[in-house]
Amino acid sequence: MAHNLKRIILAGIAGILFCSSSIAQTYKPPVFTDPDRLKKIEATYAVIDKIYKDYADQNHFPGLVYGIVVDGKLVHSGGVGYADLANKTEANSQSDFRIASMSKSFTAMAILKLRDEGKLKLDDPVYLYIPEARNMKRLTKDAPPLTIRNLLTHTAGYPEDNPWGDRQLANTDQQLIALYKKGISFSNDPGLGYEYSNLGFATLGYIIKKVTGKPYQQYITENILKPLGMTHTYYEYTKVPKPLLANGYRWLDGQWVKQPMLHDGSYGAMGGMITTIEDFSKYVALHLAAWPPRDDAETGPVKRSSIREMQYPWDISGFNTNFRMATGRYAPFVAAYCYGLRYRKYADGTIVVGHTGGLPGFGSEWSVYPEYGIGVISFANLTYANAGSINVQVADTLLRLSGVKPRQLPPSYILTKRKNELVKLLPAWENAKASGIFAQNFFMDYFPDKLKAEATDIYTKAGKITDVSEVVPENQMRGYFIMTGEQANIKVSFTLTPENPGLIQEYHIALVSK
């Protein structure tokens, strides 16, 4: 997809930029300002429990488990039905469910960890690690080399391979390499579009092995799972204690039919992980802990910046201009794929990152709302159970009923300073050129007589100014403030230059409703 289109679609994605002003080197990260936010969230649990139970009943789920993560902790969990129908083993937060494609982000995280250690590059051609891929016939002779980044973002040009890929879970590395020797059928040239590929992530698992000398399962366990304390997470189902293992089922002819479990193999890198709500919540907490950017020491197995990179929307995967929440609220969104993660941005600016999972016998989903510090997880043991739609409803209900707000970005020193200096010049703009707060371009683009006329007219319509708000930062170098008038309010927005310290390069003033 063209870069211009990406920029248009993703315009406005919240980014947090470090202020480079020599006046104020200290960066103040966004903070939650409501001391009662957890109590407000706790008040929604009864409603959330009912939503999950009703959904499980309506969709014939044998068992469903779920969890809510807030500020790095599993604050609420629950279970409906059974992990094992034959033995009437109740599903709970310690039940081990296969989470299918939710596994992909662990593989992606391992790749980024190896990148950070200098052991590979994301733009390395795949043939450096799988020589059999060097001479694969592409759709066209001018196709670019297939890269690790292509595999991470589903832009390899491999055809979408659900549900075929779901049945390859137990394949060996030898079978994977034999596939490359025979040649891959491409649907697109690499880099020209999103096409979901389980084969791509199986290939990433093999690359991990080639780089580290260890099976991807071992590398991920040693370098991600164990450091996080995920001691009840597995790839091979026979290693799970039987009383804890959730069996998978299909709803056929009015009854549940147990599905065979596939053994671990080369395709487990795309969908083989088995875990619990309690264990997986630690992984969710790691993703939430990557926000906001800050100066604190690193404490996780992977750098915070690399986790934020994982969550960045690298490839547009779709739009939904007609989407509505369960309440009927209109909520169009753009969707993208990150590195082993899905991304969604709603029209109101809310960003959601996570992944679905589906295999014969199982369906799952997790999502985090980084700016809210909240994560939602659910696992079900029904074939391709749609856990994503219920998690969207739960998260929307939680945010709506609790009324919690996203993190507030404190204004940088330079934004506050320029705002105060600008207020003193309004509305007359006297001696503005001599003030020293405007960039070189400013008075080439704005003219003092017109600035004065515009501001004077707006001030007259607003009436006496009774209050001036703090500057509201859109980032560390752009913001706005509101002046309260007796008749109407005034909004003043401005943008600073990359100079050190930043100067005002752009300015707007307008009447706004009270």
Side-chain angles (χ1 to χ4, degrees):
M1 184 171 290
H3 291 296
N4 286 342
L5 180 56
K6 282 189 178 182
R7 289 209 304 266
I8 292 169
I9 295 169
L10 298 175
I13 291 177
I16 302 173
L17 307 178
F18 285 86
C19 175
S20 61
S21 171
S22 60
I23 298 175
Q25 292 290 346
T26 301
Y27 171 72
K28 295 181 179 179
V31 294
F32 295 115
T33 57
D34 185 355
D36 296 321
R37 77 188 224 104
L38 186 55
K39 289 182 180 178
K40 293 176 180 178
I41 291 171
E42 289 172 347
T44 71
Y45 293 164
V47 176
I48 286 171
D49 290 341
K50 187 176 188 307
I51 290 173
Y52 275 122
K53 184 179 186 308
D54 290 348
Y55 189 78
D57 291 344
Q58 293 162 9
N59 291 278
H60 307 291
F61 288 1
L64 171 69
V65 292
Y66 54 89
I68 306 294
V69 179
V70 178
D71 301 340
K73 296 180 180 179
L74 179 65
V75 296
H76 183 64
S77 63
V80 179
Y82 299 100
D84 183 337
L85 288 171
N87 295 307
K88 299 299 181 186
T89 305
E90 293 186 355
N92 58 47
S93 62
Q94 296 179 334
S95 302
D96 266 296
F97 280 70
R98 178 154 265 164
I99 61 172
S101 288
M102 286 172 55
S103 311
K104 287 182 170 68
S105 66
F106 289 88
T107 302
M109 182 175 283
I111 290 288
L112 285 188
K113 184 173 177 63
L114 291 172
R115 187 277 313 272
D116 292 346
E117 294 170 352
K119 296 177 180 177
L120 56 76
K121 296 183 178 68
L122 300 191
D123 291 317
D124 280 346
V126 170
Y127 64 67
L128 292 180
Y129 307 94
I130 303 178
E132 292 81 359
R134 179 184 286 273
N135 297 317
M136 286 192 305
K137 185 179 179 181
R138 315 295 171 80
L139 289 179
T140 64
K141 291 183 179 180
D142 64 354
L146 176 66
T147 68
I148 290 175
R149 193 186 305 273
N150 291 144
L151 300 178
L152 286 169
T153 57
H154 293 308
T155 58
Y158 293 166
E160 191 276 331
D161 58 3
N162 286 322
W164 173 86
D166 296 342
R167 300 293 185 177
Q168 313 304 310
L169 208 63
N171 281 13
T172 64
D173 289 344
Q174 290 74 22
Q175 288 174 296
L176 178 65
I177 297 306
L179 190 65
Y180 275 96
K181 283 182 179 179
K182 188 176 181 181
I184 305 298
S185 296
F186 284 82
S187 57
N188 299 294
D189 277 338
L192 293 184
Y194 169 85
E195 188 92 355
Y196 193 83
S197 173
N198 291 303
L199 169 61
F201 271 79
T203 304
L204 289 170
Y206 184 81
I207 290 173
I208 292 170
K209 179 180 178 180
K210 285 295 292 281
V211 171
T212 66
K214 300 177 180 180
Y216 71 83
Q217 302 94 326
Q218 181 182 348
Y219 181 81
I220 290 172
T221 298
E222 291 176 354
N223 292 276
I224 298 174
L225 303 183
K226 285 186 177 179
L228 291 177
M230 296 177 66
T231 56
H232 301 285
T233 298
Y234 313 84
Y235 281 94
E236 171 55 47
Y237 78 89
T238 59
K239 295 182 179 180
V240 182
K242 284 189 177 181
L244 300 178
L245 179 64
N247 289 306
Y249 301 88
R250 189 184 289 269
W251 182 253
L252 287 173
D253 301 325
Q255 61 183 346
W256 285 303
V257 178
K258 185 177 178 181
Q259 300 297 289
M261 293 277 279
L262 293 175
H263 288 287
D264 183 33
S266 60
Y267 277 70
M270 71 82 184
M273 186 173 282
I274 301 167
T275 190
T276 70
I277 290 292
E278 290 185 2
D279 257 25
F280 197 81
S281 69
K282 299 171 184 176
Y283 183 66
V284 172
L286 177 68
H287 277 269
L288 288 172
W291 298 94
R294 56 196 184 276
D295 295 332
D296 301 358
E298 298 281 358
T299 58
V302 181
K303 294 192 302 184
R304 291 190 297 270
S305 61
S306 292
I307 295 174
R308 295 193 295 270
E309 182 183 351
M310 280 182 66
Q311 298 177 9
Y312 189 80
W314 294 102
D315 186 60
I316 302 302
S317 60
F319 311 84
N320 191 330
T321 58
N322 298 310
F323 185 77
R324 293 183 182 275
M325 294 293 182
T327 58
R329 178 168 61 84
Y330 184 52
F333 64 82
V334 59
Y337 206 80
C338 311
Y339 293 158
L341 294 169
R342 297 188 187 276
Y343 171 101
R344 182 179 289 190
K345 183 173 184 179
Y346 290 98
D348 66 0
T350 300
I351 291 172
V352 188
V353 178
H355 212 289
T356 51
L359 281 172
F362 298 94
S364 55
E365 200 267 354
W366 72 284
S367 53
V368 293
Y369 293 67
E371 290 304 314
Y372 287 87
I374 292 170
V376 182
I377 321 162
S378 65
F379 309 152
N381 55 345
L382 184 72
T383 295
Y384 301 128
N386 185 349
S389 63
I390 190 59
N391 278 356
V392 169
Q393 181 181 349
V394 164
D396 183 59
T397 299
L398 186 155
L399 295 177
R400 181 169 44 85
L401 293 184
S402 69
V404 296
K405 303 299 181 185
R407 291 184 181 95
Q408 298 299 306
L409 179 65
S412 62
Y413 174 85
I414 191 64
L415 272 181
T416 299
K417 185 175 189 296
R418 295 296 183 237
K419 169 249 177 177
N420 292 336
E421 292 166 336
L422 190 54
V423 168
K424 292 177 181 178
L425 292 175
L426 294 172
W429 284 88
E430 291 182 6
N431 300 317
K433 287 187 176 182
S435 67
I437 68 171
F438 297 98
Q440 182 183 19
N441 72 287
F442 192 86
F443 292 108
M444 298 177 185
D445 297 321
Y446 304 88
F447 309 100
D449 57 337
K450 295 187 181 299
L451 289 169
K452 178 179 178 180
E454 179 187 37
T456 300
D457 178 61
I458 287 175
Y459 267 62
T460 299
K461 292 176 180 176
K464 182 180 178 181
I465 302 300
T466 60
D467 183 63
V468 179
S469 76
E470 296 294 325
V471 64
V472 178
E474 296 176 24
N475 59 43
Q476 294 290 294
M477 301 296 280
R478 182 174 62 247
Y480 68 89
F481 58 93
I482 302 295
M483 294 188 287
T484 304
E486 291 181 338
Q487 305 301 321
N489 293 342
I490 301 172
K491 180 180 180 180
V492 178
S493 56
F494 62 99
T495 303
L496 304 183
T497 64
E499 299 168 280
N500 190 348
L503 301 173
I504 299 172
Q505 63 170 312
E506 188 177 15
Y507 151 91
H508 300 282
I509 186 170
L511 284 173
V512 293
S513 59
K514 293 179 71 69

